[in-house]
Amino acid sequence: MGEPGPVSSPEISEADGETVVDISGLTKRFGATVAVNDVDLKVRRGELLVLIGLSGAGKSTLLRCLNGLVTPTGGHVEILGVDPAQLGKRDLRQLRQRVGFIFQQFGLVGRLTALGNVLAGSVGRIWGPRYDISSYSQEMRRSALEQLDRVGLGDKLYQRADTLSGGQQQRVAIARTLFQHPEIVLADEPVASLDPESSEQVMEILFKVCREDNLTVMCSLHQVDLALGWADRMVGLRAGGLVLDSPAHSLSNEEAMKVYSAEDRARLRAEERHDRSRSEIGR
Ligand code: ADP
């Protein structure tokens, strides 16, 4: 093999909050594929944890096990004191208000405005969806506006979502999640379809809200440099197994890259160089 072993640190995190996610022996199989393999992980309130690993390493499956989108085949998940796999529909809906999920593809309604999309985040809290913004209470509108301001889109409230750039759409999606006042935000490759500059903006916003609201953020990324720039803690997965768990500040790019095989490292470095030169040309 000759591949480097796990990189780890006994001092897992500097966040001193309570444990809000407690995963033990988590395993998820899809037929013969082991997507997540016997993972143990504890995450504390206020931590910004970035999951890195190649495509197919199990990052998305792990995040999905945390909000009940995927049911584990083995092990145990406790999030905010409950096991999502044990919850009925109603309790799961309640849990998902406390645990926001941000997808790579934003998941906005294109024909609704930015504000309309954020307000639509209240569906589940209010009775049925509403299409007319004025039918939401003034307090809800004010709160939605506040969240759009926080993500730097206070001047785009009434712009249709499908006319916003990818980065702006992802920021609307973040505002929609924040509008629920979650305690945990799970973000599955939130910048995968964005240019480097928008990616930095999105990570900066996640970092800011993590600090301001004492939110726990668990975010999967495939760009190691970006992850090291914003994470408190880096967790690496390879073939479903946990191979790295370290505070970000004590981790070099070289150490973090050990999550990948030598061949994949060379490919990823070439991709990063390509991304950088593309964004420089775009300036
Ligand atoms: P990542 O997020 O790191 O790219 P995923 O969690 O999406 O990894 O996938 C891990 C493995 O599980 C991959 O081999 C993938 O093909 C497989 N997998 C994920 N979801 C499903 C599914 N719904 N059905 C079958 N296989 C799946």
Side-chain angles (χ1 to χ4, degrees), residues 86-104:
Q86 300 298 322
L87 299 180
K89 272 192 185 156
R90 200 163 143 240
D91 290 338
L92 203 51
R93 248 199 324 271
Q94 276 177 4
L95 178 70
R96 286 179 185 159
Q97 280 177 20
R98 301 173 69 199
V99 182
F101 204 99
I102 293 168
F103 297 88
Q104 179 181 338

Side-chain angles (χ1 to χ4, degrees), residues 28-31 33-36 51-64 70 188-189 220-221 237 239-240:
K28 175 64 186 179
R29 292 171 188 276
F30 294 103
T33 305
V34 186
V36 176
L51 274 175
I52 57 170
L54 268 191
S55 175
K59 306 181 294 297
S60 177
T61 305
L62 189 148
L63 292 176
R64 284 161 189 260
V70 165
D188 190 7
E189 293 275 3
S220 63
L221 289 179
L237 289 181

Side-chain angles (χ1 to χ4, degrees), residues 8-43:
S8 65
S9 160
E11 197 197 349
I12 283 176
S13 162
E14 292 184 332
D16 54 5
E18 72 200 281
T19 297
V20 288
V21 174
D22 191 347
I23 298 172
S24 54
L26 178 65
T27 299
K28 175 64 186 179
R29 292 171 188 276
F30 294 103
T33 305
V34 186
V36 176
N37 191 8
D38 198 18
V39 167
D40 294 325
L41 190 66
K42 277 187 175 39
V43 187

Side-chain angles (χ1 to χ4, degrees), residues 149-175:
D149 250 344
R150 287 180 87 189
V151 301
L153 291 176
D155 59 342
K156 303 268 188 256
L157 304 179
Y158 301 108
Q159 195 163 324
R160 268 177 69 132
D162 54 9
T163 65
L164 294 170
S165 71
Q168 290 168 338
Q169 290 192 43
Q170 191 56 295
R171 286 191 273 153
V172 173
I174 294 172

